[in-house]
């Protein structure tokens, strides 16, 4: 057998994992920049808000935000004020909107840090009180629930909300910057519900105008609507999953949309062993091999975000694609190599998705009966994010020691990939 990792096959563009890393999600800011520019070309002249909530859909919020701003994003969007504050601390200075709050949200700090605040109802008085105490007006965006049934003011309560917002604005406590909503089925372009939501939204704008509000930012469209509903673009679009190179459509790939996946998930084979026909695999023995074969143990599991429910999910080992068998466990899953005389060895690199593997997060989504959004976002804290800009050197970080599972500042050289640094997971 050959030495692990040296099978004479063409290596991936990123040349694999650097020494010392057992597993990593490799993030390419150049892909994020490309995707932002691509989407911006679809929606121009509308402004572009890039969502980096949930740690940038698993890619690293600061990494994603910096790349988005470099590519011309006008705004950054997050769910929580705490996420916005972390961006400010990292030096992100463009406008940031946070829209999901609780009774413990620090609205005063949001106002102090010049973070725009989404308002769905109850938050209005809390934000106005914080602004009054600070003697600084809050910048707010009012959200109308046009049919999604989650956050947002109901149609019945909308006239009262906009009237109160106008009163607070007249008192100098608020500046109502925008009015927004969120679409429920834009990823299914033929469904009538999107038209219905836009009709409700237009009516809500008229009510707000009659209450004396004149806003500069009307925003509705998400990633699927950015591509399929130009009538929903208005003044700004809010895009999430597309920025990370994932398609929101079941029948159109990222490549179809001109997008490049920004995450590649890699690890190394932890064990290889030959087994006889009939060997059961993993908990519950839900799978038994029907011939003598060899099994590879992959050291990622549901503790790392790999879905336990995934069945026959694809992986690439040293340039060849195999499928998982048996249940995914907390720390590991098993791949049937098909040949008891396989050349696969302990230490060979494994790609779950991304890079030049030909395997997408959507492939894993189908194997796990879920969506690509969830696959990329759920990758856990035991998997370090290694930032490798494929377009050239990244800016040097502060000196430090890169360690898996920890925030690190060290820049690690990666042949053929510009430079690489570890981001917080």
């Amino acid at each position: 057998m050959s030495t692990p990792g040296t099978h004479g096959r063409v290596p991936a563009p990123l040349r694999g994992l650097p020494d010392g890393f057992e597993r990593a999600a490799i993030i390419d800011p150049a892909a994020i920049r490309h995707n932002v520019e691509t989407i911006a070309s679809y929606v121009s002249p509308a402004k572009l808000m890039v969502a980096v909530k949930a740690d940038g859909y698993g890619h690293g919020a600061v990494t994603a935000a910096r790349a988005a701003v470099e590519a011309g994003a006008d705004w950054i969007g997050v769910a929580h004020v705490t996420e916005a504050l972390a961006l400010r601390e990292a030096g992100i200075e463009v406008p940031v909107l946070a829209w999901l709050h609780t009774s413990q949200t620090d609205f005063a700090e949001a106002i102090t840090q010049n973070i725009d605040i989404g308002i769905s109802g109850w938050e209005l008085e809390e934000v106005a009180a914080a602004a009054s105490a600070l003697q600084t007006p809050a910048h707010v965006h009012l959200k109308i629930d046009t049919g999604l049934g989650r956050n947002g003011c109901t149609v019945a309560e909308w006239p009262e909300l906009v009237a109160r917002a106008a009163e607070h604005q007249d008192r100098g406590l608020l500046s109502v910057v925008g009015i927004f909503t969120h679409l429920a089925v834009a990823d299914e372009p033929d469904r009538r519900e999107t038209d219905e939501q836009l009709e409700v939204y237009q009516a809500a704008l008229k009510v707000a105008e009659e209450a004396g509000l004149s806003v500069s930012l009307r925003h509705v469209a998400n990633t699927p609507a950015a591509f399929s509903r130009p009538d929903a673009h208005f003044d700004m679009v809010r895009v999430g999953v597309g920025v990370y190179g994932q398609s929101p459509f079941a029948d159109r790939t990222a490549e179809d949309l001109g997008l490049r996946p920004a995450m590649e998930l890699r690890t190394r084979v932890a064990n290889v062993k030959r087994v006889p026909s009939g060997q059961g695999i993993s908990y519950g023995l839900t799978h038994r091999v029907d011939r003598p074969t060899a099994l590879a143990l992959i050291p990622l599991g549901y503790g790392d975000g790999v879905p336990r429910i995934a069945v026959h999910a694809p992986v690439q080992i040293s340039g060849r694609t195999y499928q998982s068998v048996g249940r995914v466990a907390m720390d590991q899953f098993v791949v049937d190599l098909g040949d008891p005389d396989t050349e696969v060895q302990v230490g060979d690199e494994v790609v779950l998705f991304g890079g030049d593997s030909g395997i997408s997060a959507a492939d894993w989504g189908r194997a796990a009966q879920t969506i690509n959004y969830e696959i990329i976002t759920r990758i856990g804290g035991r998997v370090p994010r290694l930032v490798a800009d494929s377009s050239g050197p990244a800016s040097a970080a502060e000196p430090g020691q890169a360690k898996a599972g920890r925030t690190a500042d060290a820049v690690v050289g990666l042949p053929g990939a510009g430079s690489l640094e570890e981001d917080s997971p």
Side-chain angles (χ1 to χ4, degrees):
M1 291 188 181
S2 57
T3 303
T6 57
H7 300 290
R9 288 178 279 270
V10 177
L14 295 183
R15 300 292 190 265
L17 292 170
D19 290 343
F21 284 86
E22 298 179 315
R23 59 194 64 81
I26 300 172
I27 310 302
D28 185 2
I32 294 174
R33 292 193 297 269
H34 166 83
N35 298 332
V36 169
E37 292 167 357
T38 297
I39 296 170
S41 71
Y42 275 86
V43 305
S44 179
K47 294 180 182 295
L48 194 67
M49 177 185 290
V50 170
V52 301
K53 60 182 181 173
D55 199 28
Y57 288 53
H59 293 66
V62 173
T63 296
R66 285 176 178 160
V69 172
E70 288 168 2
D74 304 285
W75 283 72
I76 296 296
V78 295
H80 306 304
V81 165
T82 51
E83 295 175 307
L85 293 175
L87 294 175
R88 287 285 187 255
E89 185 176 354
I92 304 298
E93 298 179 351
V94 299
V96 177
L97 172 66
W99 53 72
L100 181 60
H101 316 298
T102 75
S103 60
Q104 301 303 302
T105 296
D106 192 342
F107 294 119
E109 187 64 14
I111 296 169
T112 299
Q113 294 298 324
N114 197 28
I115 294 163
D116 285 40
I117 301 168
I119 300 291
S120 291
W122 67 268
E123 311 98 329
L124 183 64
E125 301 306 325
E126 300 280 341
V127 171
S132 178
L134 291 169
Q135 296 188 325
T136 302
H139 293 174
V140 304
H141 300 231
L142 306 181
K143 185 173 187 180
I144 174 76
D145 179 6
T146 56
L148 183 59
R150 300 189 318 191
N151 213 2
C153 182
T154 64
V155 171
E157 295 176 340
W158 181 250
E160 180 183 356
L161 178 65
V162 296
R164 289 187 0 247
E167 291 172 5
H168 288 313
Q169 181 166 264
D170 290 342
R171 293 172 55 202
L173 298 178
L174 303 177
S175 174
V176 182
V177 176
I179 293 176
F180 70 117
T181 193
H182 197 49
L183 299 175
V185 294
D187 56 332
E188 301 176 68
D190 294 332
R191 290 186 59 170
R192 168 66 185 166
E193 290 93 335
T194 299
D195 296 324
E196 295 169 352
Q197 283 193 259
L198 291 175
E199 291 168 4
V200 173
Y201 181 72
Q202 292 280 16
L205 290 175
K206 184 176 181 180
V207 171
E209 183 179 359
E210 291 172 349
L213 295 178
S214 177
V215 301
S216 59
L217 291 175
R218 302 163 298 164
H219 46 114
V220 175
N222 50 10
T223 295
F227 287 103
S228 66
R229 295 296 301 245
D231 57 335
H233 291 174
F234 293 96
D235 303 306
M236 182 166 67
V237 302
R238 302 184 311 273
V239 292
V241 75
V243 167
Y244 306 100
Q246 304 295 326
S247 172
F249 302 111
D251 59 350
R252 300 171 70 186
T253 67
E255 185 177 7
D256 292 337
L257 301 174
L259 304 176
R260 288 167 43 192
M263 178 188 289
E264 179 182 11
L265 183 58
R266 282 182 174 263
T267 186
R268 304 180 192 271
V269 174
N271 194 20
V272 178
K273 61 184 178 184
R274 297 176 177 86
V275 297
S277 179
Q279 172 71 53
I281 309 294
S282 196
Y283 291 124
L285 300 177
T286 58
H287 180 87
R288 291 183 182 273
V289 299
D290 59 5
R291 69 209 180 289
T293 189
L295 305 176
L297 190 64
I298 312 303
L300 289 168
Y302 62 77
D304 305 294
V306 177
R308 182 177 183 270
I309 195 175
V311 176
H312 301 308
V315 302
Q316 185 186 85
I317 304 175
S318 300
R320 181 176 174 183
T321 300
Y322 302 90
Q323 288 189 338
S324 67
V325 291
R327 285 183 181 159
V328 174
M330 184 181 293
D331 313 298
Q332 58 205 275
F333 65 92
V334 176
V335 166
D336 187 346
L337 299 173
D339 181 359
D341 296 321
T342 180
E343 291 189 352
V344 173
Q345 295 190 50
V346 170
D348 283 0
E349 289 203 21
V350 183
V351 183
L352 275 70
F353 58 81
D356 66 346
S357 67
I359 302 171
S360 68
D363 292 328
W364 269 85
R366 284 185 285 272
Q369 301 175 42
T370 186
I371 55 177
N372 50 1
Y373 299 63
E374 181 178 353
I375 297 299
I376 59 175
T377 303
R378 65 183 294 160
I379 303 303
R382 289 197 301 187
V383 181
R385 272 60 169 175
L386 301 182
V387 180
D389 195 317
S390 63
S391 69
S395 57
E398 294 298 318
Q401 180 69 37
K403 295 180 180 179
R406 292 176 174 265
T407 301
D409 298 318
V411 174
V412 184
L414 191 64
S419 66
L420 179 151
E421 61 184 288
E422 188 175 4
D423 197 297
S424 58

